[in-house]
């Protein structure tokens, strides 16, 4: 199992503003690399303070100049938002700029707020994902495409750029839909799951339901899966509740973006409490929040139930103060990882390489 670090880059109350969010991301990625994480992931969202990560490929290329060993992933490139001829070239270029460290996560997106502003219909996102991926994979693996010119006539385009990793970088897909999964089998795409603030029990149920659906569709029910969890290591109950409040802040923004979104002139989402919102104590229990022993124990239960090939850790959720996020990640490396590795074997680049 590999470990990842997720970067959403929400903006809530960072004392250094937008630049602070960017600097915090760099700080967390470099610390994760020092600990020995396999991959740093970057989200894609647009036009609100939910995320400043508007281009995961740009952030991957940027961080390749800072980080030297950790792989760099897109979580995810929202393919329906792109012109496929352009994004195919960018994927190839970024894989070469990172010297083959790109991990390619793709998805269809879900936020109507974003699609509306690109003049796109969110209801057609799955069809657009498949159509764009067919074009992109042809361009990157066959070296040419066929597309209509401005008069509707077929036009062949040869692509000089291809990816350094062959046939493509490792591929991840944020979907459990059997019909979609079947279309990506030839690329050995790994389905990616997250349950957000609902935590471990919901995440385990999501994966179990997906595996049942794959089995019923004649797919491999035991295919590798990746999961993502909120993690905050602390022995202080007040800090645990503060982390849970940050997790709820993210959940409220997601809910607002799915419904009738209200956004200020400064692009800040108005995110009221959720209907039947759980208590901070419940959120702390749902997520990997607590002292090192509690976090390790909960993670082991989840890992044994799900058997993920990749475990993505979300430490700086809700624009958490960087000192708190770094302290949590440091404690994870120093105290949680040894407990996990005692049961699961080597999990980081440092332990697998004997450094």
């Amino acid at each position: 199992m590999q470990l990842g670090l997720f970067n959403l880059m929400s903006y809530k109350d960072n004392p250094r503003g937008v630049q602070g969010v960017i600097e915090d991301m760099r700080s967390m990625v470099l610390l994760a690399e020092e600990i020995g994480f396999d991959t740093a992931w970057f989200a894609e969202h647009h036009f609100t303070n939910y995320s400043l990560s508007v281009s995961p490929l740009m952030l991957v290329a940027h961080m390749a100049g800072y980080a030297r060993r950790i792989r760099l992933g897109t979580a995810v490139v929202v393919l329906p938002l792109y012109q496929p001829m352009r994004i195919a070239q960018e994927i190839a270029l970024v894989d070469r700029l990172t010297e083959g460290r790109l991990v390619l996560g793709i998805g269809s997106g879900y936020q109507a707020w974003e699609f509306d502003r690109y003049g796109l219909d969110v209801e057609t996102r799955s069809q657009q994902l498949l159509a764009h991926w067919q074009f992109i994979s042809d361009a990157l693996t066959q070296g040419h495409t066929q597309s209509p010119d401005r008069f509707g006539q077929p036009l062949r385009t040869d692509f000089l750029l291809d990816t350094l990793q062959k046939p493509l970088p490792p591929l991840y897909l944020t979907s459990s839909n059997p019909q979609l999964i079947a279309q990506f089998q030839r690329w050995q795409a790994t389905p990616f799951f997250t349950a957000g603030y609902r935590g471990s029990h919901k995440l385990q149920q999501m994966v179990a339901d997906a595996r049942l659906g794959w089995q019923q569709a004649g797919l491999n029910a035991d295919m590798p899966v990746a999961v993502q969890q909120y993690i905050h290591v602390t022995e202080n109950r007040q800090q645990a509740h503060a982390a849970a409040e940050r997790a709820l802040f993210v959940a409220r923004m997601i809910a607002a973006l799915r419904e009738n979104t209200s956004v200020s002139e400064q692009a800040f989402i108005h995110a009221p409490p959720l209907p039947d919102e759980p208590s901070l104590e419940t959120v702390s229990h749902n997520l990997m929040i607590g002292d090192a022993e509690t976090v390790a124990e909960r993670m082991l239960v989840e890992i044994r139930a799900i058997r993920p090939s990749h475990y993505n850790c979300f430490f700086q959720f809700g624009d958490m103060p960087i000192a708190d996020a770094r302290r949590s990640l440091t404690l994870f490396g120093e105290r949680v990882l040894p407990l996990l590795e005692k049961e699961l074997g080597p999990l980081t680049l440092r332990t697998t390489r004997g450094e």
Side-chain angles (χ1 to χ4, degrees):
M1 187 185 77
Q2 300 166 341
L3 290 175
L5 176 81
F6 181 59
N7 297 277
L8 178 59
M9 300 175 65
S10 296
Y11 181 24
K12 181 178 188 286
D13 51 8
N14 198 297
R16 290 162 293 136
V18 168
Q19 202 64 23
V21 176
I22 295 169
E23 292 166 358
D24 288 355
M25 174 276 296
R26 288 196 203 106
S27 175
M28 292 296 287
V29 171
L30 293 177
L31 180 55
E33 178 175 61
E34 181 182 332
I35 292 170
F37 276 54
D38 179 83
T39 309
W41 297 89
F42 304 92
E44 178 178 348
H45 293 284
H46 300 268
F47 310 124
T48 71
N49 67 313
Y50 176 64
S51 173
L52 303 185
S53 182
V54 300
S55 172
L57 283 171
M58 186 178 291
L59 284 168
V60 165
H62 171 72
M63 284 310 301
Y66 288 86
R68 299 303 177 189
R69 296 189 304 175
I70 196 168
R71 295 198 291 177
L72 301 161
T74 59
V76 292
V77 175
V78 182
L79 284 189
L81 302 183
Y82 290 88
Q83 207 288 341
M85 290 192 74
R86 182 180 183 90
I87 197 68
Q89 296 176 89
E90 291 180 356
I91 289 168
L93 179 59
V94 169
D95 191 44
R96 290 185 174 274
L97 289 173
T98 61
E99 298 181 332
R101 283 188 288 155
L102 174 64
V103 182
L104 184 59
I106 61 172
S108 62
Y110 66 91
Q111 294 182 5
W113 179 264
E114 298 175 345
F115 276 70
D116 287 348
R117 278 149 186 79
Y118 280 108
L120 300 170
D121 182 0
V122 72
E123 297 302 325
T124 66
R125 62 191 185 276
S126 293
Q127 301 95 298
Q128 289 299 309
L129 169 69
L130 288 173
H132 286 191
W133 177 250
Q134 183 63 59
F135 190 97
I136 292 163
S137 59
D138 285 350
L140 296 179
T141 61
Q142 297 180 16
H144 60 85
T145 59
Q146 198 87 6
S147 59
D149 65 12
R150 61 195 178 99
F151 302 109
Q153 298 302 309
L155 184 67
R156 176 185 168 112
T157 303
D158 293 300
F159 283 72
L160 172 63
L161 278 170
D162 60 358
T163 56
L164 188 60
Q165 300 177 85
K166 303 299 185 193
L168 290 170
L171 188 65
Y172 287 73
L173 179 68
T174 52
S175 176
S176 62
N177 184 302
Q179 286 72 39
L180 271 178
I181 295 293
Q183 298 296 318
F184 286 89
Q185 276 199 305
R186 64 175 293 204
W187 306 111
Q188 298 181 314
T190 300
F192 216 137
F193 295 83
T194 181
Y197 78 98
R198 296 170 296 177
S200 190
H201 177 75
K202 180 63 176 178
L203 184 61
Q204 291 179 51
Q205 189 61 55
M206 289 171 65
V207 176
D209 290 345
R211 291 194 186 281
L212 178 60
W214 298 337
Q215 182 180 36
Q216 293 172 343
L219 301 173
N220 175 18
D222 292 320
M223 71 178 74
V225 299
V227 298
Q228 180 171 293
Q229 266 288 20
Y230 291 66
I231 297 176
H232 190 71
V233 186
T234 179
E235 295 180 351
N236 184 303
R237 189 166 181 265
Q238 185 177 357
Q239 290 179 359
H241 282 184
E245 178 62 39
R246 296 274 174 179
L248 281 176
F249 169 72
V250 177
R252 292 167 189 154
M253 288 197 291
I254 293 172
L257 286 165
R258 289 185 184 277
E259 303 299 332
N260 295 318
T261 309
S262 175
V263 178
S264 73
E265 291 181 2
Q266 293 75 37
F268 273 67
I269 299 169
H270 173 64
L274 303 169
D276 302 319
E277 185 169 278
S279 68
L280 297 180
E281 195 68 40
T282 298
V283 174
S284 295
H285 182 73
N286 288 346
L287 302 176
M288 305 301 173
I289 297 177
D291 59 44
E293 291 73 20
T294 298
V295 170
E297 180 181 353
R298 290 180 183 171
M299 287 185 67
L300 284 170
V301 170
E302 185 172 87
I303 290 165
R304 285 168 175 156
I306 296 176
R307 309 182 311 280
S309 62
H310 188 90
Y311 197 103
N312 201 23
C313 305
F314 192 6
F315 282 95
Q316 198 189 13
F317 43 89
D319 198 11
M320 181 182 293
I322 187 60
D324 295 341
R326 282 184 61 89
R327 184 184 308 112
S328 172
L329 178 52
T330 299
L331 288 171
F332 183 86
E334 292 176 351
R335 297 177 55 187
V336 175
L337 266 176
L339 295 173
L340 296 178
E341 293 187 323
K342 182 179 178 181
E343 299 295 325
L344 304 173
L347 295 176
T348 69
L349 295 179
R350 295 173 66 181
T351 51
T352 56
R353 293 175 181 175
E355 297 178 15

